[in-house]
Amino acid sequence: MSVTLKELRISKGLNQAQCAEYLGMSTRNYQNYENDAAKANTARYHAIYQKLESYGQPVVSVSLPSQTPEFYTNVVTGTGLRALANSVAKYGKRNCFSTLQKFVTGSYDGKICILYGLRRTGKTTLLFQMLSELPIEKTAYIKVQTTDDMSRLTKDLKALFELGYRYVFIDEITLLNDFIDTAAVLSDVFSMMGMKIVVSGTDSLGFAMANRDELYDRSVTIHTSFIPFREYARLLNICSVDSYIEYGGTLKMENMSFDDPDAAFDEVAFRDDESTRKYIDTAISRNIQHTLKNDHYGEYFNQLRELYEKGELTNVINRIVQHMNHRFVLRVVEDEFKSHDFGSAKELLLHDLPAERATVLYDVNEKQILERLKAIIEVKEKSETTVPITQEHIDKVKKYLLMLDLIVNCPERYESGKQAEHIVFSQPGMRYAIAKALVYSLMQDAYFASISEADKAYITGKILDDVKGRMLEDIVLLEVRKTAPSTMEAFKFKFDAGGEFDMVIYDKASKNCRRIYEIKHSTEANEKQTLHLRDAEKCQIVEKRFGPISGKFVLYRGKDTFAEGVQYLNVENFLCGLK
């Protein structure tokens, strides 16, 4: 460079503010590059300088060569691009598509778009849908392979830029072993040159680490892992909360027909215990392990390094995920035993059972069932490991699961004023599949060997129905929390003397308790569902803490109705109405 950045700016007749506006950056940020000599040899300085050199020059159109050039990575252009776009033409668009579209069509020089989430949540489909709306002669798609590196990728990006390509979509970019340490070249060089770059991948931790240093404040992130019920229902045309509980969490768009409801259950991620374990292994455990391996700083590995070096990390992560779901099932069963509706094991397991079968489990008692369930959980969680799993291991993995958007903490509040962690899985199908496998294993236990298959099926159905009821509470709470404005809080509230409101919505601005809810998996309305809502003492406790209650509601699977001051609302319509 024969002249400095300042001299170049002056030669173009621009003041600092005008120059910063042209470059798409803040005036202060530009001033840092102009005044700080230490930045003169950085990649971003060169990119800024190169773009400023082109100011005032006529735009030269680049004609594409008649033959496809040789690329170092798997680059798709032209007719191949049309084929990719046509492959998703029949699919609906996810809600986050508008954010992606805004990035691609807006002014974001110096930034790239990161599209990430767990497997089968529609990332690649989103890329294909977006590129189908762009001029094909200026658009390219790159599918990264494990044999690629950033050097090969940047050579291809430079070649594409020289050929006139301005929109590049890079899929599974975290497969690059050096991505975490070299990602800034995408934002600091190619984006500054005027390229719109969208990258995707399942490795959320890899993106988090890149954002820690290389991409700090230079990316627009779009998460795909969480698929709310309203989006699931719209995309798959399946407006059934039961289907969402059993299979929700993934779309597997590439192999699923949105206009054929029967096809929605083919090859789903959480079809059974085996498919669920496979999903946990490939989409979660290997995801975390791959990121830790590629974190050259090493700070994210710390407590887990010994497990990784002994080849036990994947197994440990699987066990922790399953452990969290096993404890969920155990809590459901324990809570049902303690409830006012079911005072004994016989009442729990034989509720509504035909009279002629009512004596089959007459001698079954609460303590024995709980002990058997606990024992089976412990057996299923035992594995041969040379490194003991500590609380530090569990806490670290839990932190990663939060970063992956797999789990969300929706703290419960108590009358005493304390709060307690309450983990909700963003992919309900995973939790239900693990619960179902656990309950079925309980029925195979010798303790139940003497009862008939029909009775086993009844017990299994009853426990799983209770699991669905608790999961429905979690689904509603999570989706309300994610859509509520910042002035609103949604939480489960528990009373010291027993009982709870499944959801309380508190308006921090007006200091009023907007609504209290009971959430039931049933299709029929009955008085038991409103027992707590009609409890004057419980309502008074809540009003003293959170202000006047504006409305009382029961969310269930039946029709909208009103009875005794309580509004019954269909839960599927309620969830679809959240924005």
Side-chain angles (χ1 to χ4, degrees):
M1 299 177 186
S2 57
V3 297
T4 65
L5 186 59
K6 180 178 180 180
E7 291 169 338
L8 178 61
R9 171 181 61 79
I10 293 172
S11 72
K12 298 292 183 179
L14 299 172
N15 60 36
Q16 290 182 330
Q18 291 169 330
C19 185
E21 182 179 2
Y22 170 70
L23 294 170
M25 57 198 303
S26 69
T27 302
R28 177 173 294 182
N29 196 11
Y30 169 77
Q31 289 171 338
N32 287 335
Y33 281 91
E34 183 173 287
N35 300 328
D36 188 352
K39 295 183 181 293
N41 293 319
T42 63
R44 194 169 195 192
Y45 181 94
H46 287 278
I48 291 171
Y49 193 100
Q50 184 176 359
K51 185 169 183 178
L52 185 55
E53 276 187 317
S54 66
Y55 179 82
Q57 297 178 1
V59 178
V60 180
S61 60
V62 180
S63 58
L64 297 179
S66 57
Q67 295 183 345
T68 302
E70 291 292 329
F71 290 111
Y72 293 91
T73 61
N74 185 19
V75 177
V76 181
T77 59
T79 55
L81 213 59
R82 285 196 179 94
L84 296 179
N86 291 337
S87 69
V88 300
K90 63 182 178 180
Y91 298 153
K93 293 182 173 66
R94 289 210 52 185
N95 294 344
C96 59
F97 181 81
S98 59
T99 306
L100 175 60
Q101 191 175 47
K102 181 180 178 182
F103 170 84
V104 171
T105 59
S107 178
Y108 289 90
D109 287 353
K111 290 190 176 185
I112 66 171
C113 181
I114 296 176
L115 185 69
Y116 73 81
L118 294 173
R119 295 187 184 280
R120 301 181 184 176
T121 56
K123 298 180 301 300
T124 300
T125 300
L126 280 164
L127 294 184
F128 292 171
Q129 289 172 330
M130 187 67 252
L131 62 83
S132 70
E133 297 189 2
L134 298 170
I136 194 168
E137 70 278 3
K138 294 184 179 181
T139 306
Y141 170 80
I142 301 175
K143 178 72 171 180
V144 171
Q145 309 293 326
T146 54
T147 54
D148 296 330
D149 57 33
M150 188 61 79
S151 175
R152 293 161 64 90
L153 178 62
T154 53
K155 288 177 182 177
D156 285 347
L157 289 174
K158 183 178 180 181
L160 288 169
F161 182 81
E162 291 174 350
L163 290 169
Y165 290 91
R166 294 297 178 264
Y167 306 96
V168 181
F169 298 83
I170 309 172
D171 206 358
E172 295 296 351
I173 194 169
T174 49
L175 291 179
L176 300 177
N177 290 334
D178 55 352
F179 168 72
I180 294 174
D181 298 326
T182 60
V185 69
L186 302 177
S187 59
D188 291 357
V189 177
F190 294 101
S191 178
M192 287 298 297
M193 290 164 57
M195 255 187 174
K196 286 296 178 64
I197 296 179
V198 179
V199 302
S200 81
T202 58
D203 192 347
S204 305
L205 297 183
F207 286 126
M209 292 177 187
N211 279 335
R212 169 191 62 189
D213 293 308
E214 287 287 305
L215 291 176
Y216 179 71
D217 199 31
R218 282 169 267 173
S219 65
V220 174
T221 58
I222 301 174
H223 301 227
T224 66
S225 290
F226 176 58
I227 305 171
F229 174 77
R230 65 188 181 282
E231 193 170 2
Y232 175 90
R234 175 176 63 82
L235 291 175
L236 304 183
N237 194 28
I238 307 174
C239 192
S240 164
V241 76
D242 263 7
S243 293
Y244 183 68
I245 289 172
E246 294 182 21
Y247 305 104
T250 68
L251 294 172
K252 202 176 183 188
M253 292 183 171
E254 292 77 6
N255 296 315
M256 186 177 287
S257 174
F258 285 175
D259 54 2
D260 181 6
D262 293 332
F265 301 97
D266 294 338
E267 302 183 35
V268 291
F270 310 126
R271 179 182 62 254
D272 51 31
D273 187 40
E274 181 181 354
S275 62
T276 302
R277 289 173 184 271
K278 183 178 179 181
Y279 184 86
I280 294 172
D281 182 55
T282 58
I284 300 169
S285 300
R286 292 183 188 177
N287 183 332
I288 294 174
Q289 186 163 298
H290 176 265
T291 301
L292 297 178
K293 181 180 68 174
N294 291 335
D295 179 26
H296 300 148
Y297 289 98
E299 64 184 82
Y300 278 75
F301 239 143
N302 43 48
Q303 298 96 333
L304 302 178
R305 182 172 295 281
E306 187 178 4
L307 289 169
Y308 172 75
E309 291 175 347
K310 291 184 177 295
E312 297 176 0
L313 184 55
T314 294
N315 178 47
V316 168
I317 294 170
N318 288 344
R319 288 171 60 190
I320 291 173
V321 171
Q322 299 229 14
H323 170 86
M324 295 169 70
N325 288 294
H326 291 168
R327 295 299 164 185
F328 167 79
V329 176
L330 184 60
R331 182 178 177 185
V332 170
V333 175
E334 286 180 324
D335 285 353
E336 289 299 337
F337 275 123
K338 296 173 185 176
S339 73
H340 298 297
D341 297 334
F342 306 109
S344 69
K346 186 178 71 173
E347 288 174 311
L348 170 66
L349 299 177
L350 304 182
H351 185 63
D352 294 333
L353 195 65
E356 61 271 18
R357 290 168 53 197
T359 60
V360 177
L361 296 177
Y362 192 84
D363 294 327
V364 172
N365 64 68
E366 171 185 341
K367 184 176 179 181
Q368 287 174 309
I369 285 185
L370 288 180
E371 289 304 316
R372 292 308 304 160
L373 183 55
K374 289 178 181 178
I376 289 174
I377 287 173
E378 293 302 322
V379 168
K380 289 175 73 66
E381 289 176 359
K382 283 182 179 178
S383 179
E384 292 297 325
T385 57
T386 58
V387 182
I389 301 178
T390 67
Q391 188 60 44
E392 283 186 321
H393 293 143
I394 295 172
D395 291 342
K396 200 69 170 177
V397 170
K398 186 180 291 186
K399 177 183 177 181
Y400 294 156
L401 297 178
L402 287 164
M403 293 171 69
L404 286 169
D405 295 328
L406 177 66
I407 62 174
V408 180
N409 183 21
C410 301
E412 299 172 333
R413 295 196 180 188
Y414 288 75
E415 180 185 343
S416 62
K418 73 171 184 177
Q419 293 191 27
E421 178 185 74
H422 179 63
I423 295 297
V424 176
F425 271 66
S426 64
Q427 297 192 311
M430 178 186 295
R431 167 155 280 182
Y432 185 77
I434 293 174
K436 183 167 62 174
L438 180 61
V439 173
Y440 284 161
S441 69
L442 174 65
M443 292 300 103
Q444 301 307 312
D445 185 72
Y447 180 72
F448 292 96
S450 62
I451 68 174
S452 70
E453 291 301 314
D455 292 320
K456 287 181 183 177
Y458 175 79
I459 297 170
T460 300
K462 180 65 184 72
I463 296 177
L464 288 178
D465 192 58
D466 294 334
V467 167
K468 284 185 176 181
R470 185 60 59 86
M471 287 184 62
L472 183 58
E473 294 175 17
D474 285 352
I475 288 167
V476 171
L477 183 60
L478 176 61
E479 299 202 13
V480 169
R481 285 173 64 92
K482 281 186 171 289
T483 56
S486 59
T487 57
M488 298 284 188
E489 290 185 25
F491 49 86
K492 184 188 292 286
F493 188 83
K494 296 198 168 188
F495 297 94
D496 295 342
E500 64 186 30
F501 286 150
D502 294 332
M503 184 169 67
V504 172
I505 297 183
Y506 171 57
D507 187 338
K508 294 183 291 185
S510 65
K511 294 181 172 54
N512 286 332
C513 179
R514 291 288 296 274
R515 296 180 173 187
I516 55 177
Y517 292 84
E518 287 294 304
I519 303 167
K520 305 298 179 184
H521 185 248
S522 66
T523 57
E524 301 293 331
N526 61 67
E527 288 185 355
K528 289 182 179 179
Q529 296 166 341
T530 64
L531 189 64
H532 295 323
L533 297 177
R534 292 183 286 106
D535 188 319
E537 185 177 349
K538 284 183 169 58
C539 290
Q540 186 178 16
I541 290 171
V542 169
E543 288 190 320
K544 184 177 180 181
R545 181 98 168 263
F546 302 108
I549 296 172
S550 302
K552 301 178 181 181
F553 299 84
V554 171
L555 298 177
Y556 75 135
R557 294 185 297 137
K559 296 180 179 179
D560 292 358
T561 187
F562 186 84
E564 299 184 27
V566 176
Q567 180 71 51
Y568 286 78
L569 298 176
N570 178 271
V571 68
E572 292 158 343
N573 293 338
F574 175 85
L575 290 171
C576 284
L578 295 175
K579 300 296 183 183

